């Protein structure tokens, strides 16, 4: 028999040891010598907080009652950890990037930092974990009673009726709950860290993980090899022990349900989230945990079934299978081993209670107490600037006490009824309601805050009705009646047969309906609602976490606050010293806090750091109070973070480029068209030139051939032919001269000097030059108003060329009986006008448009067809344009043509002749 | 890129394959009234699958670890919008 004082002393020494370990670890962490503490091994062992007294004691009980079913509790988490690359890694990355402090913070942060969601998840977690805490209390109380009892004595257990025992248990449980509350408060709420990590606690938990594993394996080895005689012999007793291993329905819906529940629990349980995500120091630690944690689970469950078999076959009927781990060594008088087993069970229970209560207290203080304090008009604000710190710590301490009190009350109300495992499964089903929201948070961009809220509410309600409520049936007749008949006798609403779905295992029934309702509500409401700007930003940051740079996004714009304001606010939250340290870290170069406005990056970082201690929603509210710039407009959110927007901008740029390309193409097309037209004009010109050259050439060639072939031509005829050849070659020469002239003019090669020219002299010279031609055609030239001393800006030779061309045209084409051309000059403003009017056939209406084109001669009679190249007017026009003048064909109404030359008057001599006139 | 996709596919296959192995109907095959090395067949089967999953995860995490090291390097530039080169 073990003396009570020895047991109590061992437990106390063990607790003191844990404290010392935690204290020492914190010390090392503060000194920066935390290599071991931040090792993947410690991380993995800490995750093993999953194995509570449910595993230590309850799994054996579960194996004794339901065979292999207990394994599903460990296979679910194994699957989650083998798939770490897709699930846990993303969760941990988001946890780091967003400084997530709890599962409530995760859900709230993802859905637009919604305070309502945070409160709901916190409440759900508190209610959901309550049975789990009660389970630990029951396990410790029962194990304490067993080990303090007179060794193993079945008679005594049988004699003691259930009532006095449960009274004892309740007193014991209350004492344990109080001790655990004290324990957790001392452990977990010594200070508020900037990142909510508790190195000391984690180290202690890792140590406890080792203790419970070794204790269970020690008991297992003793049972299998000392009592059972090896594995084979042990399993051979299974049938006698009444444990059916090959039950046909062992792997039915219940197996599936428990696998799913345990897989969900390893993510959703607040304490698992706390260890895996919040306390994680390095994402790479997951690598080790991915195989080491499943290995731990395998190690801790390898002896479960053998212990159950031996316990069933050796111990008298009616023994509590949940306590086999303890009662077997006691029955064989192994008191040292029994004490070790008790410490192992104590370890598994305390580690769960410590981490769960710390996790819940963080949620309660961050999501319920702090937001209320922030919204209330008066925030405790002491001169030390630590008002908020004190508030946070106090609220956490009270929360821990409340959580444990709730666990105790549950234990009390359910009168400690039932085995350990079913109680734990109720908790699992409760926290599994977070799973749809978490999956949506990580992978579904369009999930909205309303959808998450709806899903959680529906799932929680169904769970409460179909799982939580029925657990009170053993202690409450009303509830037992309710289970039988349904509320107000409505059979459809019976908690364990909703909508008449009868005959299912109650757990399967509850999990099926709650998760189904949860998921449908989440999806349905999400599809019907829209995320706000913050929600969209957060959705992007969560879903695409691996596509982002590690740097934070600036989410505040211009603010009127200075760094000093922010420091003051941070001091209120974190305390004076941590705040200063944080500022030194974030803004090492800014010494003048008064004047410096914070950069958006700084505010963004600060918000994350603050979120690490008081949660995202609260940190957002706190910063929002200080920074009048508040957050962001909708457009800015999109611009900063929305992937869609990036793609949109990209496609807009593309569109812009395409437009530019299109305009360039059309310009090119136009230029090409112009080139083609020019090319065509060139071709036409060439063919015209060839044609023009061909006619005289043909004449010259034929006359030359005649002269060559016929020697006997009379001299008169020969002379005539030679004259023709001469004339034609002259015409050819002049034609070629004109072409060259025109081409030179058009290309602007011919440069001449414009000077003042006396127009009367130029005209007279032209008339003189034309005299032989006019005489030949009997053309009378009638100069009219031939003013003296009128000067124009021109080139004398060129202007004469124009006049000669116009006079000779009049001579050549005039077929009138008494042909004449009248030359009239006058000034008009700054210009001189010279009109050449003849009484010839005029220009046909259709030809007026083309008269100035090259090689166009207008309509004329065949006789005179040889007399011009058709380039004269074109050249004249070109010359006049070069002089700044113009040449026009004026309409004459009746017979005759009238060409008008306009030339600019020479500036200095404009006035004089007019005044004189 | 190709190696990465292969590894990620394996990482995806592990939990899925594990789930298929431990859930009905496959698990029912092992649920026979025979024993292997003194263990009931079903116990031996479940623990063997479990151990195999652990070993496979152990082997794979070594390879995945090198990818993760690349991922955890802090990037200096925000990633440009996916230009579709990953197809």
């Amino acid at each position: 028999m073990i003396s009570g004082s020895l047991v109590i002393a061992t437990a106390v020494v063990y607790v003191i040891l844990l404290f010392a370990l935690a204290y020492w670890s914190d010390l090392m962490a503060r000194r920066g010598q935390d290599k071991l503490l931040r090792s993947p091994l410690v991380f993995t062992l800490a995750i093993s907080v999953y194995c509570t007294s449910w595993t230590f004691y309850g799994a054996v009980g579960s194996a004794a009652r339901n065979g292999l079913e207990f394994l599903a509790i460990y296979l679910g988490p194994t699957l989650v950890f083998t798939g770490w690359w897709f699930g846990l890694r993303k969760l941990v990355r988001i946890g780091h990037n967003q400084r997530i402090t709890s599962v409530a913070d995760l859900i709230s942060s993802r859905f637009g930092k919604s305070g309502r969601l945070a409160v709901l998840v916190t409440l759900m977690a508190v209610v959901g974990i309550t049975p789990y805490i009660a389970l630990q209390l029951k396990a410790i109380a029962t194990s304490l009673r067993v080990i303090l009892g007179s060794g193993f004595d079945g008679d005594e257990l049988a004699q003691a009726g259930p009532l006095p025992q449960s009274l004892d248990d309740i007193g014991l449980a209350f004492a344990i709950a109080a001790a655990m509350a004290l324990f957790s408060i001392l452990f977990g709420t010594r200070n508020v860290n900037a990142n909510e990590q508790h190195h000391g606690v984690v180290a202690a938990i890792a140590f406890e993980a080792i203790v419970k594993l070794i204790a269970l394996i020690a008991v297992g080895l003793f049972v299998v090899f000392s009592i059972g005689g090896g594995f084979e012999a042990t399993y051979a007793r299974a049938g006698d022990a009444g444990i059916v291993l090959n039950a046909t329905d062992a792997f039915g819906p219940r197996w599936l349900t428990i696998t799913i529940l345990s897989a969900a629990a390893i993510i959703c349980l607040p304490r698992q989230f706390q260890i895996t995500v919040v306390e994680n120091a390095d994402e790479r630690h997951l690598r080790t945990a991915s195989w080491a944690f499943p290995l731990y689970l395998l190690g801790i469950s390898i002896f479960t079934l053998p212990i159950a078999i031996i316990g069933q076959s050796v111990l008298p009927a009616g023994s509590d299978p949940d306590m086999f781990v303890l009662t077997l060594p006691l029955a064989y008088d192994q008191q040292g081993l029994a004490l070790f087993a008790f410490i192992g069970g104590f370890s598994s229970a305390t580690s769960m209670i410590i981490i769960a209560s710390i996790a819940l207290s963080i949620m309660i203080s961050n999501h319920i107490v702090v937001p209320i304090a922030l919204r209330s008009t008066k925030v405790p604000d002491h001169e030390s600037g630590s008002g908020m710190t004190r508030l946070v710590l106090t609220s956490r301490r009270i929360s821990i006490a409340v959580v444990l009190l709730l666990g105790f009350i549950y234990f009390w109300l359910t009168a400690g009824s039932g085995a350990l495992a079913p109680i734990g499964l109720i908790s699992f089903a409760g926290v599994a309601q977070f799973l749809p929201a978490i999956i949506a948070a990580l992978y579904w961009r369009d999930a909205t805050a309303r959808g998450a809220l709806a899903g959680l509410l529906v799932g929680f309600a169904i769970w409460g009705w179909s799982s939580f409520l029925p657990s009170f049936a053993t202690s409450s007749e009303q509830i037992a009646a309710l289970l039988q008949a349904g509320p107000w006798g409505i059979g459809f609403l019976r908690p364990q047969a909703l909508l008449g779905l009868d005959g299912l295992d109650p757990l399967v029934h509850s999990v099926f309906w709650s998760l189904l309702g949860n998921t449908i509500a989440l999806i349905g409401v999400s599809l019907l609602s829209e995320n706000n700007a913050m929600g969209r930003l957060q959705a992007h940051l969560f879903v695409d976490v691996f596509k982002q740079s590690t740097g934070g996004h600036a989410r505040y714009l211009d603010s009127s606050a200075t760094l000093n304001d922010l420091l003051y606010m941070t001091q209120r939250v974190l305390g004076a010293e941590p705040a200063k340290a944080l500022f030194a870290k974030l803004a090492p170069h800014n010494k003048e806090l008064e004047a410096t406005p914070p950069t958006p990056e700084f505010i963004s970082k600060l918000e994350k750091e603050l979120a690490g201690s008081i949660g995202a929603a609260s940190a957002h509210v706190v910063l929002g109070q200080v920074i009048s710039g508040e957050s962001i407009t909708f457009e800015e959110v999109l611009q900063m973070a929305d992937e869609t927007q990036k793609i949109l901008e990209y496609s807009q740029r593309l569109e812009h480029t395409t437009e530019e390309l299109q305009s360039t193409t059309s310009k090119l097309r136009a230029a090409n068209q112009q080139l083609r037209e020019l090319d065509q004009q060139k071709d036409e010109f060439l063919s015209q030139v060839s044609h023009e050259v061909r006619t005289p050439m043909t004449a010259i060639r034929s006359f030359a051939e005649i002269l060559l072939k016929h020697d006997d031509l009379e001299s008169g005829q020969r002379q005539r032919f030679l004259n023709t050849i001469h004339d034609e070659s002259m015409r050819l020469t002049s034609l070629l001269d004109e072409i060259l002239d025109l081409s030179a003019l058009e290309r602007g090669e011919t440069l001449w000097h414009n000077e003042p020219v006396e127009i009367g002299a130029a005209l007279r010279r032209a008339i003189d030059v034309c005299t032989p031609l006019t005489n030949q055609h009997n053309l009378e030239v009638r100069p009219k108003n031939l003013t003296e001393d009128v000067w124009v800006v021109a080139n004398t030779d060129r202007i004469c060329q124009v006049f000669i061309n116009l006079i000779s045209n009049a001579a050549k084409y005039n077929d009138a009986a008494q042909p004449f051309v009248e030359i009239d000059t006058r000034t008009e403003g700054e210009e001189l006008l010279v009109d050449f009017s003849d009484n010839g056939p005029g220009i046909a209406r259709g030809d007026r448009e083309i008269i100035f084109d090259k090689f166009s001669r207008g309509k004329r009679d065949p006789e005179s067809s040889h007399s011009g190249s058709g380039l004269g007017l074109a050249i004249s026009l070109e010359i006049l344009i070069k002089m700044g003048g113009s040449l026009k064909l004026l309409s004459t109404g009746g017979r005759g043509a009238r060409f008008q030359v306009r030339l600019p008057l020479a500036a200095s001599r404009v006035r004089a002749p007019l005044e004189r006139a | 890129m190709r190696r990465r996709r292969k590894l990620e596919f394996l990482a995806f296959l592990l939990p899925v394959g594990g789930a298929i192995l431990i859930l009905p109907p496959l698990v029912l095959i092992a649920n026979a009234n025979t024993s292997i090395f003194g263990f009931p067949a079903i116990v031996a089967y479940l623990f063997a699958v479990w151990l195999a999953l652990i070993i496979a995860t152990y082997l794979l995490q070594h390879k995945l670890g090198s990818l993760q090291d690349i991922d955890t390097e802090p990037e200096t530039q925000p990633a440009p919008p996916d230009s579709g080169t990953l197809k």
Side-chain angles (χ1 to χ4, degrees):
Chain A
M1 159 164 183
I2 304 170
S3 76
S5 53
L6 178 67
V7 174
I8 301 294
T10 313
V12 169
V13 168
Y14 181 68
V15 168
I16 289 171
L17 186 70
L18 287 180
F19 266 119
L21 182 65
Y23 183 78
W24 176 77
S25 305
D26 269 343
L27 208 66
M28 296 305 269
R30 216 166 298 144
R31 281 187 195 159
Q33 296 168 323
D34 49 357
K35 242 182 186 167
L36 180 72
L37 295 175
R38 291 169 165 272
S39 73
L41 183 72
V42 170
F43 176 64
T44 308
L45 286 171
I47 294 177
S48 310
V49 72
Y50 180 70
C51 301
T52 65
S53 52
W54 171 1
T55 300
F56 201 86
Y57 297 120
V60 173
S62 170
R65 295 183 189 97
N66 300 319
L68 282 166
E69 185 185 282
F70 77 97
L71 271 186
I73 299 288
Y74 309 103
L75 287 172
T78 298
L79 292 180
V80 171
F81 270 78
T82 55
W84 66 288
W85 184 258
F86 294 99
L88 290 172
R89 190 173 66 106
K90 191 166 194 179
L91 204 58
V92 170
R93 175 72 67 90
I94 291 171
H96 279 265
N97 281 4
Q98 302 284 317
R99 298 284 194 284
I100 299 294
T101 59
S102 65
V103 65
D105 195 23
L106 176 90
I107 293 177
S108 133
S109 176
R110 158 64 175 79
F111 296 105
K113 308 199 174 179
S114 152
R116 275 192 305 176
L117 266 175
V119 171
L120 177 66
V121 173
T122 302
L123 291 178
M124 283 172 69
V126 170
V127 176
I129 295 307
T130 297
Y132 214 147
I133 302 258
L135 184 160
Q136 311 303 324
L137 295 178
K138 178 181 159 67
I140 298 179
T142 316
S143 66
L144 204 58
R145 184 167 52 76
V146 165
I147 202 160
L148 288 180
S150 51
F152 174 70
D153 191 340
D155 289 339
E156 195 195 323
L157 278 178
Q159 283 165 6
L163 202 65
Q165 253 187 37
S166 65
L167 266 180
D168 262 354
D169 274 359
I170 286 164
L172 202 55
F174 185 77
I176 293 164
M180 284 297 135
L182 189 69
F183 194 44
S184 305
I185 288 169
L186 287 174
F187 254 111
T189 62
R190 279 180 300 166
N191 50 15
V192 180
N193 287 336
N195 56 4
E196 212 58 84
Q197 292 187 342
H198 308 78
H199 301 291
V201 178
V202 171
I205 299 303
F207 177 71
E208 291 198 293
I210 298 172
V211 170
K212 67 193 176 196
L213 180 66
I214 294 177
L216 197 58
I217 288 179
V219 173
L221 288 173
F222 169 74
V223 167
V224 170
F225 293 101
S226 273
I227 309 177
F231 276 110
E232 190 166 358
T234 303
Y235 278 114
R237 294 196 200 184
D240 301 336
I243 296 176
V244 187
L245 288 177
N246 298 108
T248 43
D249 58 347
F251 300 100
R254 207 175 142 84
W255 174 262
L256 175 68
T257 304
I258 295 177
T259 308
I260 293 173
L261 276 188
S262 61
I266 199 70
I267 297 166
C268 303
L269 277 173
R271 70 171 193 281
Q272 293 306 135
F273 193 91
Q274 175 76 24
I275 294 290
T276 316
V277 179
V278 182
E279 306 277 357
N280 174 280
D282 188 337
E283 193 181 308
R284 279 168 285 194
H285 290 174
L286 272 179
R287 234 190 272 175
T288 308
S290 71
W291 60 271
F293 177 61
L295 191 65
Y296 184 97
L297 293 179
L298 187 142
I300 212 164
S301 23
I302 209 153
F303 289 106
T304 305
L305 199 54
I307 293 175
I309 292 169
I310 299 294
Q312 286 284 71
S313 57
V314 172
L315 298 178
S319 311
D320 181 3
D322 280 341
M323 285 296 136
F324 281 169
V325 173
L326 220 46
T327 49
L328 273 171
L330 283 176
Y332 286 82
D333 219 19
Q334 296 287 330
Q335 296 184 347
L337 185 63
L339 192 60
F340 188 30
F342 170 75
I343 292 297
F346 184 70
S347 285
S348 48
T350 50
S351 56
M352 181 273 167
I353 291 178
I354 291 169
I355 296 295
S357 60
I358 288 175
L360 288 176
S361 75
I362 289 172
M363 283 158 79
I364 294 173
S365 77
N366 282 1
H367 304 310
I368 297 178
V369 178
V370 172
I372 290 173
L374 286 174
R375 285 188 172 85
S376 73
T377 46
K378 189 152 176 66
V379 177
D381 189 7
H382 302 283
E383 282 179 9
S384 65
S386 63
M388 188 68 84
T389 317
R390 195 168 299 171
L391 175 72
V392 167
L393 284 180
T394 311
S395 68
R396 285 188 187 171
R397 285 170 187 152
I398 296 172
S399 305
I400 289 175
V402 167
V403 165
L404 278 157
L405 186 65
L406 285 175
F408 168 73
I409 290 172
Y410 184 89
F411 173 77
W412 188 26
L413 286 180
T414 58
S417 68
L420 295 178
I423 305 176
L425 284 172
I426 294 171
S427 277
F428 272 24
V431 295
Q433 303 308 323
F434 301 148
L435 188 68
I438 291 178
I439 291 178
L442 260 54
Y443 302 102
W444 190 32
R445 196 188 298 270
D446 294 331
T448 65
R450 283 168 191 276
L453 200 68
L456 288 169
L457 279 174
V458 168
F460 188 56
I462 299 177
W463 168 80
W465 183 249
S466 64
S467 211
F468 189 68
L469 189 69
S471 67
F472 296 100
T474 46
S475 58
S476 160
E477 282 178 18
Q478 284 105 325
I479 290 172
L482 189 89
L483 290 187
Q484 283 301 316
W488 307 287
I490 303 170
F492 267 33
L493 292 178
R494 270 182 298 157
Q496 296 185 328
L498 283 174
L499 303 183
L501 184 65
D502 217 339
L504 270 183
D505 178 87
L507 178 74
V508 177
H509 170 269
S510 170
V511 170
F512 171 73
W513 280 124
S514 57
L515 281 184
L516 183 74
N518 187 334
T519 311
I520 288 176
L522 169 68
I523 295 175
V525 176
S526 285
L527 291 177
L528 291 175
S529 57
E530 286 281 328
N531 266 320
N532 58 14
M534 181 58 81
R536 240 169 295 177
L537 174 67
Q538 289 298 98
H540 168 67
L541 291 175
F542 274 58
V543 176
D544 298 328
V545 68
F546 289 121
K547 292 181 190 165
Q548 290 150 13
S549 61
T550 43
H553 289 256
R555 267 177 277 149
Y556 287 97
L557 297 174
D558 303 328
S559 79
S560 54
T562 64
L563 280 179
N564 204 44
D565 299 332
L566 292 176
L567 178 63
Y568 177 70
M569 183 273 299
T570 313
Q571 281 174 340
R572 283 172 57 198
V573 178
L574 297 178
E577 281 311 311
K580 274 180 192 156
L582 177 65
F583 268 62
K585 194 181 89 185
L586 291 183
H589 307 300
N590 286 324
K591 298 287 177 228
E592 291 174 18
L593 298 174
E594 280 296 347
T596 322
T599 61
E601 290 79 19
F602 178 84
I603 299 171
S604 193
K605 277 187 203 161
L606 184 66
E607 187 188 333
K608 277 186 185 161
E609 294 290 340
L610 289 179
S613 16
I614 54 172
S618 298
H620 196 65
V621 173
V622 169
L623 274 174
Q625 280 189 339
V626 178
I627 297 161
S628 58
E630 232 303 304
S631 36
I632 30 176
T633 66
F634 173 57
E635 283 80 6
E636 283 150 357
V637 174
L638 286 187
Q639 200 189 345
M640 279 184 277
D642 208 316
E643 189 82 5
T644 328
Q645 184 66 11
K646 275 190 203 163
I647 294 167
L648 260 180
E649 276 173 14
Y650 182 65
S651 76
Q652 273 169 359
R653 277 209 303 276
L654 259 184
E655 232 167 70
H656 186 65
T657 319
T658 317
E659 274 169 20
E660 276 179 3
L661 266 177
Q662 274 174 347
S663 100
T664 314
T665 314
S666 67
K667 274 182 204 159
L668 267 175
R669 201 173 290 140
N672 198 22
Q673 180 66 24
Q674 219 171 342
L675 272 176
R676 211 175 293 150
E677 280 168 11
L678 282 174
D679 189 52
Q680 201 181 344
Q681 282 179 7
K682 186 201 75 186
D683 286 348
E684 279 171 12
F685 179 71
L686 268 177
S687 83
Q688 279 173 335
V689 168
S690 316
H691 180 74
E692 295 295 330
V693 172
R694 201 186 144 89
T695 322
M697 281 300 285
T698 315
I700 292 168
R701 207 187 67 203
S702 8
F703 284 117
E705 277 170 5
I706 294 170
L707 285 171
L708 282 172
K709 281 180 188 166
H710 306 281
D711 294 338
D712 53 342
L713 281 177
E714 56 184 84
S715 67
Q717 211 168 6
R718 181 184 295 263
Q719 191 64 40
R720 206 150 45 82
F721 286 175
L722 282 172
N723 272 341
T724 310
I725 291 174
H726 178 255
D727 289 351
E728 286 302 308
S729 40
M730 286 301 288
R731 203 159 78 88
L732 204 54
T733 313
S734 79
L735 174 69
L736 291 173
D737 282 346
E738 283 179 343
I739 289 173
L740 286 173
D741 195 16
L742 181 66
S743 130
L745 277 173
E746 279 184 345
R747 277 182 287 137
E749 276 178 11
T750 321
L751 284 172
W752 66 71
H753 185 60
N754 282 344
E755 59 194 1
V757 174
E758 210 276 312
I759 199 71
L763 269 173
R764 267 189 293 277
R765 185 177 143 196
I767 293 167
D768 287 348
V769 171
C770 290
T771 307
L773 188 71
T774 50
N775 286 347
Q776 188 191 332
H777 286 86
N778 294 321
L779 180 82
E780 185 194 350
V781 180
R782 298 179 188 162
K784 212 172 129 189
N785 305 326
L786 217 58
T787 44
E788 298 293 326
D789 207 22
V790 172
W791 296 76
V792 293
V793 182
N795 178 283
T796 317
D797 292 340
R798 286 291 180 177
I799 197 68
C800 280
Q801 188 185 347
V802 173
F803 292 155
I804 292 165
N805 181 256
L806 288 172
I807 294 169
S808 58
N809 275 355
K812 284 181 209 162
Y813 301 120
N814 201 329
D815 53 354
Q818 286 189 329
F820 67 87
V821 60
E822 198 177 81
I823 303 171
D824 184 14
T825 63
R826 66 179 190 279
T827 55
E828 192 179 289
E830 307 274 299
E831 285 181 320
L832 171 80
L833 275 60
V834 185
D835 286 3
F836 291 80
S837 314
D838 62 34
N839 60 341
I843 311 294
R845 188 170 292 272
D847 292 337
R848 283 182 190 168
E849 302 278 309
I850 57 160
I851 194 80
F852 296 107
D853 287 356
K854 295 160 217 165
F855 302 109
S856 66
R857 292 186 193 86
K859 200 179 163 190
R860 68 245 161 165
D861 56 73
E863 272 169 72
S864 59
S865 67
H866 289 273
S867 51
S869 64
L871 288 172
L873 283 174
I875 291 173
S876 299
L877 179 63
E878 206 68 38
I879 289 170
L880 285 169
I881 286 171
K882 291 251 171 197
M883 289 174 179
S886 65
L887 176 62
K888 271 183 194 159
L889 173 67
L890 300 181
S891 78
T892 49
R895 256 184 84 85
R898 186 173 171 200
F899 289 92
Q900 184 175 67
V901 173
R902 278 170 181 266
L903 279 167
L905 287 167
S908 57
R909 309 197 184 194
V910 173
R911 303 287 167 208
L914 288 175
E915 277 164 12
R916 213 179 298 160
Chain B
M1 257 310 134
R2 196 178 142 70
R3 178 169 168 271
R4 187 193 179 100
R5 266 179 294 154
K6 227 175 187 176
L7 283 175
E8 291 200 327
F9 181 68
L10 285 177
F12 169 75
L13 213 61
L14 265 187
V16 173
I20 291 171
L21 285 173
I22 63 160
L23 293 178
L26 271 188
V27 74
L28 296 176
I29 299 172
N31 195 15
N33 200 7
T34 51
S35 69
I36 301 165
F37 304 121
F39 290 88
I42 181 65
V43 175
Y45 172 78
L46 285 175
F47 275 96
V49 168
W50 198 345
L51 200 62
L53 278 176
I54 291 168
I55 292 169
T57 309
Y58 173 76
L59 293 177
L60 195 63
Q61 61 91 17
H62 267 294
K63 310 253 180 200
L64 284 172
S66 58
L67 297 185
Q68 199 185 16
D69 288 338
I70 298 166
D71 283 356
T72 21
E73 289 294 314
E75 293 172 57
T76 47
Q77 291 287 317
D82 192 350
S83 54
T85 47
L86 292 175
K87 284 171 194 167

